[in-house]
């Protein structure tokens, strides 16, 4: 008896007022963001996890397909881009946006990954843009996140040539651009090496921390040269050091000047979100500053 009375009350509550018809459920209008890039975007080491976790609403699916150690060329060659293309074809979303960031592993000194800055790198970016649009998705180019190395208090932005190439491709192809390189350079330069060190995955060694106080960073994890018998080896250049400590695959959890711990991921994800809201205004309702 009690159960039947309760059921009747629930039925009455679910019915519309007299003279009105029940409103049909409105279909959801959801979007998707796909992240494509290297370890500075990927899980464990990049800004992507914080972006997907904290900066999109429930009306935006966020899929992080960035992979550690990849360049604009190796990401294509290994088939990771094919997976991204398939993800763009998932039905049901009103719009799909693809954020594309490469550059770190396109630099010289990384066999099997490096690309030619004048020819291959911009050609790869153009291919990403064209094939994204062919799938009905919207490409967004992202310039490479700065490293955090200093000489006499000045940030050494060794990725500027790759950022400039991405800006050029964006302008030529009328593609939205998130200039993460410019915004991260400004932020890190203002902080200086010691404050910026908190963005790494682990604390620096006492030797590295002491060098930061002078305004000039030293190799985070020095890689000693192996000279031939009786032959002195020249000191490693910073590009060679970066190549040695940025291996293909998942970023190692250690101190370096490239990868991000939680603090760094949170900080730079917020920068990406801010700049993305400007570059792609139609995404603003789906983003959380």
């Amino acid at each position: 008896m009690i159960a039947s009375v309760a059921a009747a009350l629930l039925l009455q509550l679910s019915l519309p007022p007299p003279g009105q018809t029940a409103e049909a459920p409105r279909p959801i209008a959801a979007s998707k963001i796909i992240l494509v890039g290297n370890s500075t975007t990927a899980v464990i080491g990049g800004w992507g996890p914080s972006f997907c976790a904290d900066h999109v609403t429930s009306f935006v699916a966020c899929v992080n397909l960035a992979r550690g150690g990849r360049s604009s060329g190796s990401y294509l060659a290994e088939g990771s881009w094919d997976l991204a293309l398939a993800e763009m074809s998932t039905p049901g979303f009103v719009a799909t946006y693809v954020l594309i960031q490469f550059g770190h592993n396109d630099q010289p000194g990384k066999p099997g990954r490096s690309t030619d800055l004048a020819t291959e790198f911009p050609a790869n970016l153009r291919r990403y843009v064209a094939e994204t649009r062919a799938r009905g998705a919207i490409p967004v180019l992202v310039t490479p996140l700065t490293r955090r190395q200093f000489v006499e208090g000045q940030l050494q932005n060794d990725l500027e040539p790759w950022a400039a190439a991405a800006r050029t491709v964006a302008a030529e192809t009328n593609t939205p651009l998130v200039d993460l390189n410019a915004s991260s350079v400004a932020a890190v330069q203002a902080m200086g090496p010691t404050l910026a060190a908190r963005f790494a995955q682990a604390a620096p060694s006492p030797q590295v921390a002491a060098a930061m106080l002078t305004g000039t960073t030293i190799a985070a994890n020095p890689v000693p040269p192996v000279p031939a018998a009786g032959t002195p080896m020249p000191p490693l250049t910073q590009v060679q050091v970066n190549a040695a400590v940025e291996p293909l695959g998942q970023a190692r959890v250690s101190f370096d000047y490239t990868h991000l711990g939680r603090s760094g991921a949170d900080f730079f994800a917020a920068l990406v979100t801010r700049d993305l809201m400007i570059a792609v205004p139609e995404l603003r309702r789906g983003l959380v500053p």
Side-chain angles (χ1 to χ4, degrees):
M1 178 66 179
I2 295 176
S4 61
V5 171
L9 288 173
L10 289 173
L11 178 62
Q12 290 178 5
L13 290 174
S14 65
L15 293 175
Q20 293 185 18
T21 57
E23 182 180 354
R26 285 178 283 184
I28 186 174
S31 299
K32 179 191 284 187
I33 295 176
I34 302 171
L35 305 183
V36 167
N38 57 36
S39 57
T40 61
T41 304
V43 296
I44 309 179
W47 52 264
S50 290
F51 175 81
C52 288
D54 300 326
H55 294 283
V56 299
T57 72
S58 60
F59 290 89
V60 178
C62 192
V63 182
N64 191 346
L65 296 183
R67 305 188 193 285
R70 272 56 175 185
S71 70
S72 67
S74 65
Y75 194 88
L76 285 163
E78 71 184 10
S80 285
W81 180 240
D82 293 329
L83 296 178
L85 289 172
E87 191 67 40
M88 296 176 212
S89 300
T90 305
F93 293 96
V94 296
T96 297
Y97 302 86
V98 186
L99 275 59
I100 303 162
Q101 181 205 259
F102 287 105
H104 300 78
N105 298 300
D106 289 85
Q107 289 183 302
K110 301 188 177 185
R113 295 183 277 170
S114 300
T115 62
D116 182 77
L117 176 59
T119 57
E120 292 177 285
F121 182 66
N124 289 340
L125 294 186
R126 292 188 192 98
R127 176 176 171 180
Y128 287 125
V129 167
E131 293 187 0
T132 297
R133 287 175 172 156
R135 290 295 175 110
I138 301 164
V140 180
L141 291 178
V142 182
T143 58
L145 175 73
T146 187
R147 294 190 175 94
R148 302 177 297 279
Q149 293 158 315
F150 286 76
V151 173
E152 296 182 353
Q154 292 299 309
L155 180 65
Q156 304 300 292
N157 184 17
D158 63 338
L159 287 156
E160 169 55 30
W162 285 264
R167 294 182 195 111
T168 298
V169 172
E172 291 174 349
T173 59
N174 195 29
T175 300
L177 178 77
V178 171
D179 200 346
L180 179 58
N181 185 262
S183 58
S184 62
V185 164
V188 173
Q189 177 63 66
M191 293 175 193
T194 299
L195 286 178
R198 75 183 192 275
F199 291 152
Q201 294 176 301
S205 68
Q207 180 186 13
V208 170
M212 290 177 184
L213 294 174
T214 72
T216 298
T217 53
I218 61 175
N221 298 286
V223 181
V226 182
T231 305
M233 287 285 288
L236 293 177
T237 67
Q238 192 58 60
V239 169
Q240 290 170 317
V241 171
N242 286 333
V245 300
E246 295 171 5
L248 177 63
Q250 188 66 59
R252 295 176 295 184
V253 178
S254 61
F255 177 83
D256 64 36
Y257 299 108
T258 303
H259 299 106
L260 305 173
R262 181 58 188 265
S263 176
D266 290 347
F267 183 88
F268 292 112
L271 284 188
V272 170
T273 304
R274 180 200 67 186
D275 293 346
L276 183 59
M277 294 176 79
I278 297 171
V280 188
E282 60 269 26
L283 252 178
R284 289 178 185 171
R285 293 182 62 185
L287 296 176
V288 180

